[in-house]
Amino acid sequence: MLETLKSLTAGYVGITDVPGVLYIGELARLYPDAIVICTTRDKDEWWGSLVATRKNARFWWLDLLFWPMPTLRFFGEWRESVGIR
């Protein structure tokens, strides 16, 4: 998994929020010298923002636009999974 995560993050200089927060431990192992900034937010406001992002990112052409990008090509799958859990 670490090798896959390393290849997905190759060339990037930063990551924020979801899905990066789900891999904090793994990212810390891969990039031990990284600077981490932790902020907090009201959970209901955060969830409302996430739902709004999903709603406003439903353009069919986004999946085509993001397909050539190593990580963003999975944006459509992520977008559809928000709210399922």
Side-chain angles (χ1 to χ4, degrees), residues 67-79:
W67 180 251
M69 301 175 199
T71 304
L72 285 176
R73 75 175 49 165
F74 301 108
F75 178 77
E77 292 177 40
W78 170 82
R79 177 192 60 224

Side-chain angles (χ1 to χ4, degrees), residues 9-49:
T9 57
Y12 287 87
V13 296
I15 190 165
T16 181
D17 208 352
V18 178
V21 71
L22 303 174
Y23 303 101
I24 294 296
E26 292 83 358
L27 289 167
R29 286 180 60 198
L30 286 171
Y31 306 104
D33 296 329
I35 296 171
V36 178
I37 300 171
C38 179
T39 61
T40 60
R41 186 173 178 187
D42 176 79
K43 66 181 179 179
D44 294 326
E45 288 180 16
W46 175 83
W47 182 252
S49 174

